[in-house]
Amino acid sequence: VTETIISLKDDVYPVEAKLHYVTFAKENVIKAWTEIRHMEKKPVTITQYASNMLYFESPRYVLTEFSGDWAKEVQMSSQDLKFGKKIIDTKLGSRAAMHAYPFFEIGLGAPASENTGDVLMGTIGWTGNYRFTFEVDNAGNLRVISGINPYASAYELKPNEWFVTPEFIFTLSNQGTGKASRDIHDWARNYQIKDGKGDRLTLLNNWESTGFNFNEKKLEELMKEAKHLGVDMFLLDDGWFANKYPRQNDKAGLGDWEVTHDKLPNGIPHLVQVAKDAGVKFGIWIEPEMISEDSDLYREHPDWALTIPGRKPVRSRNQLVLDFSRKEVVDGIFGQISAVLDNANIEYVKWDMNRSLMDVFSVMTKDQGRVMYDYVLGLYDFLDRMVNRYPDLLIEGCSGGGGRFDAGMLYYTPQIWCSDNSDAIDRLRIQYGTSFGYPVSAMGAHVSAVPNHQTGRITPLHTRGVVAMSGTFGYELDLLKLTEEEKDEVRSQIGEFRKYAPLIQNGRYYRLTDPFKSEVCAWEIVG
């Protein structure tokens, strides 16, 4: 691994920039970013601050972009780039998959092919607004400019303060998209993903069984049944917290991270002990960046929510977003979450984020242009504290499904839930699209009940298992409703996954067919 730094200075103004290039020769990957500083006497506002620019000369440029919506993530479309600009961006702050994913590929000279041709593949390590600009100039050459989306983000830079852009990660393949993907996968497992080559745990999520309606007895039954079937982990999903405004639905409780005494009178440590006695690990769902107006926290600190003074707040899923650009907000929520994790041997956390960022206004600064940037740094600060305080804790990212599937989050959360749509047939396309930018070991994929709650489709349990095995693997169904024959098949599936898990999670992934074009979906993993 080699780093090259190019230092630039303006001839007239006291402004300098450093262009960083880190090359990973074995993986054929480069990551690049920019640092900007000035020595003026007063602050300078920067309005454009790309991470990198690449320049290509080719007779043809064919862009493939990845877009979608909730439950329809990672759809693919291609187009020729002609004179002018094509922009892929998001201004949503989170839930980027409701619009466009933060990675792309370009066929140079011809459309991108799986096994032949020159292909550029790129992504950005940033869990916030981004922008990719593809500009074909008057000479027929292509500029690829990548970085933070500067929309509503004019940043006031103080004298001698360095502004650091996110990393742009890219590879160039002369053997098609297959090799480009495998190179990115190898780089991600070796360098970017936390514990990128570690084991992934099979789990059972209680949500399909109970929703918000559960108690200790019900959870104890599910944990015991989980062990009988052979899963490693039991995950307690939404609905376990808050007392004055208990989390009985999605309208209350967010921000009050204490166990609901009426529902779970013996607390989380008791559930952890029951799980241990049953022979399974215990995990828990959290949504730390959110706040409900029906909560003690909101009544005590209404200014902690992102809202615009004088306007009614924009609600989504009946909740508001906490202002993570403020250290005291991050400190307060981290204190609550760590109090839960400190008192019980919780080994898995599902980190959710169920809405976009709107009303982006912080009451603590006059420089509103820095709020979006500082929000992401606050998020990373929180996650950094988590992984340092609990180094063995496995965190799964989620944002209404795959809305936050990016290289920035993977640095802290080695697996990310691909989609809330767990229909096996739809998942073939969703996981196929995801595989262009991210390895199988990062794809959260589970077997769900049928008829599927998203599509109503009835798919054989065997098919659902095969699709979910091309991911982290787990179950989102009520085990207590399974027949004995189905339980035997679940045990068989878990045994099969464990047998091949090292190969699935660390092998090289080959796409054999395109499920967007073919009725057959096939893939191969090579050790």
Side-chain angles (χ1 to χ4, degrees):
V1 178
T2 303
E3 180 174 9
T4 302
I5 303 173
I6 301 172
S7 296
L8 305 172
K9 288 187 177 182
D10 192 278
D11 286 340
V12 178
Y13 298 102
V15 176
E16 61 181 294
K18 291 183 178 180
L19 310 182
H20 294 255
Y21 297 89
V22 178
T23 58
F24 302 84
K26 183 179 179 182
E27 292 79 12
N28 192 42
V29 167
I30 298 174
K31 69 177 181 181
W33 70 95
T34 302
E35 295 182 323
I36 304 166
R37 182 175 71 164
H38 73 88
M39 285 70 73
E40 293 278 8
K41 293 180 180 179
K42 295 181 180 181
V44 170
T45 299
I46 55 175
T47 58
Q48 302 284 339
Y49 33 84
S51 297
N52 182 254
M53 191 274 283
L54 301 175
Y55 197 57
F56 293 94
E57 180 183 2
S58 178
R60 188 181 180 189
Y61 312 99
V62 184
L63 169 69
T64 298
E65 57 184 305
F66 301 81
S67 59
D69 199 350
W70 179 75
K72 295 184 291 186
E73 289 88 348
V74 208
Q75 306 300 296
M76 300 173 61
S77 60
S78 298
Q79 59 183 279
D80 276 83
L81 296 174
K82 303 295 185 180
F83 176 79
K85 293 181 180 179
K86 160 72 178 179
I87 292 176
I88 300 174
D89 72 348
T90 180
K91 305 178 183 72
L92 300 178
S94 181
R95 300 294 300 278
M98 293 176 67
H99 188 47
Y101 269 77
F103 63 93
F104 64 87
E105 62 186 36
I106 297 176
L108 299 171
S113 172
E114 184 67 26
N115 297 307
T116 60
D118 295 333
V119 177
L120 169 72
M121 186 173 289
T123 188
I124 189 168
W126 186 245
T127 312
N129 292 339
Y130 63 87
R131 185 173 72 180
F132 300 132
T133 302
F134 309 93
E135 181 180 13
V136 179
D137 64 18
N138 58 311
N141 297 333
L142 173 67
R143 292 183 183 88
V144 179
I145 304 172
S146 56
I148 294 174
N149 192 334
Y151 171 80
S153 296
Y155 190 95
E156 188 177 271
L157 188 63
K158 296 181 177 63
N160 292 304
E161 174 190 358
W162 283 103
F163 181 90
V164 183
T165 71
E167 297 168 349
F168 174 59
I169 302 111
F170 62 98
T171 185
L172 187 66
S173 164
N174 60 3
Q175 298 174 43
T177 58
K179 182 180 185 303
S181 290
R182 289 186 288 276
D183 286 344
I184 289 285
H185 297 173
D186 289 345
W187 169 81
R189 284 192 295 254
N190 289 337
Y191 295 101
Q192 184 70 9
I193 299 175
K194 180 183 181 294
D195 195 22
K197 294 184 177 180
D199 294 334
R200 301 293 179 259
L201 300 170
T202 60
L203 66 84
L204 168 69
N205 188 323
N206 74 294
W207 186 256
E208 293 280 351
S209 303
T210 67
F212 289 105
N213 185 27
F214 58 81
N215 54 34
E216 281 184 350
K217 182 179 179 181
K218 177 68 172 178
L219 297 179
E220 289 169 3
E221 291 174 353
L222 289 171
M223 283 187 274
K224 292 173 183 177
E225 190 64 25
K227 181 56 182 178
H228 291 158
L229 296 177
V231 300
D232 301 311
M233 172 78 65
F234 178 82
L235 174 67
L236 174 57
D237 211 292
D238 197 355
W240 59 268
F241 53 90
N243 285 290
K244 188 174 181 180
Y245 306 96
R247 184 72 167 173
Q248 298 174 351
N249 50 51
D250 66 1
K251 297 180 181 179
L254 289 170
D256 296 346
W257 297 104
E258 57 182 11
V259 70
T260 305
H261 302 308
D262 291 346
K263 188 182 288 188
L264 303 172
N266 294 300
I268 299 298
H270 169 74
L271 295 178
V272 173
Q273 186 60 49
V274 172
K276 182 179 180 181
D277 292 343
V280 295
K281 301 176 185 294
F282 186 85
I284 203 165
W285 177 98
I286 59 175
E287 196 173 7
E289 299 159 80
M290 296 294 120
I291 187 169
S292 302
E293 290 163 280
D294 277 343
S295 67
D296 282 330
L297 184 66
Y298 185 79
R299 280 161 172 74
E300 184 178 353
H301 296 290
D303 62 299
W304 281 18
L306 289 172
T307 56
I308 298 176
R311 291 185 178 272
K312 292 183 179 179
V314 177
R315 300 175 183 86
S316 179
R317 204 172 182 256
N318 304 304
Q319 60 200 45
L320 303 178
V321 182
L322 286 165
D323 184 1
F324 265 36
S325 73
R326 296 168 55 183
K327 184 177 183 300
E328 65 268 31
V329 177
V330 174
D331 290 346
I333 302 301
F334 183 78
Q336 289 195 52
I337 298 297
S338 60
V340 176
L341 298 178
D342 285 348
N343 291 316
N345 186 25
I346 295 170
E347 299 184 61
Y348 181 99
V349 162
K350 182 177 180 181
W351 180 301
D352 214 339
M353 167 56 150
N354 275 303
R355 61 159 292 175
S356 304
L357 272 64
M358 304 172 189
D359 298 340
V360 180
F361 184 94
S362 176
V363 299
M364 294 304 292
T365 180
K366 294 180 180 180
D367 183 10
Q368 297 301 319
R370 67 180 298 146
V371 175
M372 287 297 299
Y373 180 83
D374 287 347
Y375 183 98
V376 179
L377 297 188
L379 167 66
Y380 290 162
D381 175 41
F382 194 117
L383 287 163
D384 198 60
R385 297 189 210 182
M386 288 271 285
V387 299
N388 281 290
R389 187 162 179 157
Y390 313 103
D392 297 324
L393 180 70
L394 177 61
I395 307 175
E396 178 178 86
C398 180
S399 183
R404 248 188 185 170
F405 218 125
D406 66 75
M409 284 301 290
L410 285 171
Y411 187 77
Y412 301 100
T413 65
Q415 60 191 59
I416 298 175
W417 186 231
C418 277
S419 175
D420 284 342
N421 183 352
S422 53
D423 176 86
I425 305 305
D426 286 356
R427 271 302 190 104
L428 289 173
R429 298 183 180 93
I430 291 169
Q431 291 171 210
Y432 172 87
T434 305
S435 75
F436 281 83
Y438 308 107
V440 168
S441 61
M443 298 186 203
H446 294 164
V447 176
S448 65
V450 293
N452 181 269
H453 72 286
Q454 289 293 338
T455 65
R457 188 181 284 128
I458 297 177
T459 309
L461 181 58
H462 173 75
T463 302
R464 286 176 275 155
V466 168
V467 174
M469 282 187 203
S470 185
T472 58
F473 197 59
Y475 291 87
E476 305 246 349
L477 42 75
D478 190 346
L479 299 185
L480 301 178
K481 293 182 180 179
L482 297 181
T483 66
E484 288 304 317
E485 182 180 3
E486 289 171 329
K487 290 179 181 179
D488 286 341
E489 183 160 359
V490 168
R491 294 186 188 98
S492 176
Q493 287 178 357
I494 293 172
E496 191 83 354
F497 180 75
R498 286 195 176 130
K499 179 180 179 181
Y500 293 108
L503 174 63
I504 293 171
Q505 293 165 7
N506 295 307
R508 308 207 82 200
Y509 186 82
Y510 290 78
R511 294 176 290 266
L512 303 182
T513 65
D514 181 349
F516 288 98
K517 298 177 181 177
S518 171
E519 292 186 1
V520 175
C521 183
W523 59 90
E524 175 181 72
I525 301 175
V526 179

